[in-house]
Amino acid sequence: DVKVTQSSRYLVKRTGEKVFLECVQDMDHENMFWYRQDPGLGLRLIYFSYDVKMKEKGDIPEGYSVSREKKERFSLILESASTNQTSMYLCASSLSDQGKNTEAFFGQGTRLTVV
Amino acid sequence: DQQVKQNSPSLSVQEGRISILNCDYTNSMFDYFLWYKKYPAEGPTFLISISSIKDKNEDGRFTVFLNKSAKHLSLHIVPSQPGDSAVYFCAASAIGNQFYFGTGTSLTVIP
């Protein structure tokens, strides 16, 4: 069974802290994504990676960085957390299949609150 | 600018009736379209997809229709059940590219 696992379901951090959100997938997928979900704004892409050590900025990368040292793991880093980064963070992965579209599989989400 | 739009934030339907959720997109390069269902405090789960070479795809109670000329897709759920109550997101992508999501429609199925 397909599995994307995020390290925490709920997290509370202080303003200015460095925050690490971890995501692991067991499907040998090439592509991995970090989204945030906010009311009325849907899912917005922060960063994505199509291979180990490769990364691409999404629509809202400011204030975030990512790391992909191993194929199965994609980390989202908030360098200095701010209250406007309070959100639901969703990790996803998908297969890279030449000439074929495939769906993305999501983790259970991390509800981050920055106080 | 939002490339995928869901203009109805919410929808209420009686149990047993048809639910129709709509989605519009602007990028003509999109060739793959998906619907996801999301419960509160959980990640989205994949529901159904359609390639741009088709205009209809059916899976049980769920059918997705694609109108490429209008850049419009819709999800039909029939018959609707209370367990279908959730937020539904449509998404679109071009091959090898990222997924773009709409803002979601909250469906309530009334018993």
Side-chain angles (χ1 to χ4, degrees), chain A residues 9-10 33 35 37 40-43 45 48 57-59 88 90 94 97 99-109, chain B residues 2 31-32 34 36 38 40-46 49 51 87 89 93-104:
Chain A
R9 291 295 299 269
Y10 300 94
F33 309 84
Y35 290 88
Q37 183 200 356
L41 297 176
L43 276 68
L45 183 66
F48 68 102
K57 291 180 180 179
D59 299 318
M88 167 72 95
L90 294 160
S94 71
D97 200 352
K100 255 179 81 173
N101 297 106
T102 62
E103 66 268 27
F105 296 88
F106 281 85
Q108 76 277 29
Chain B
Q2 195 84 18
D31 56 7
Y32 188 54
L34 311 92
Y36 283 83
K38 187 180 184 299
E42 292 184 15
T45 54
F46 170 72
S49 64
S51 164
V87 177
F89 290 98
S93 75
I95 290 179
N97 214 321
Q98 60 167 303
F99 297 88
Y100 292 86
F101 283 82
T103 51

Side-chain angles (χ1 to χ4, degrees), chain B residues 58-110:
Chain B
E58 197 171 344
D59 184 2
R61 295 186 298 114
F62 302 92
T63 304
V64 56
F65 295 91
L66 176 63
N67 182 333
K68 286 189 292 293
S69 60
K71 294 192 177 70
H72 177 83
L73 66 154
S74 60
L75 175 69
H76 292 208
I77 306 172
V78 54
S80 301
Q81 299 172 353
D84 295 330
S85 297
V87 177
Y88 289 78
F89 290 98
C90 70
S93 75
I95 290 179
N97 214 321
Q98 60 167 303
F99 297 88
Y100 292 86
F101 283 82
T103 51
T105 297
S106 178
L107 173 66
T108 302
V109 180
I110 304 160

Side-chain angles (χ1 to χ4, degrees), chain B residues 8-55:
Chain B
S8 298
S10 62
L11 175 69
S12 290
V13 170
Q14 287 290 137
E15 181 178 2
R17 297 290 191 106
I18 186 170
S19 295
I20 300 176
L21 295 94
N22 294 301
C23 180
D24 297 294
Y25 62 96
T26 57
N27 190 338
S28 56
M29 297 300 291
F30 289 148
D31 56 7
Y32 188 54
F33 304 89
L34 311 92
W35 284 95
Y36 283 83
K37 177 179 179 179
K38 187 180 184 299
Y39 294 116
E42 292 184 15
T45 54
F46 170 72
L47 206 53
I48 192 168
S49 64
I50 187 166
S51 164
S52 60
I53 61 173
K54 295 186 174 182
D55 54 20

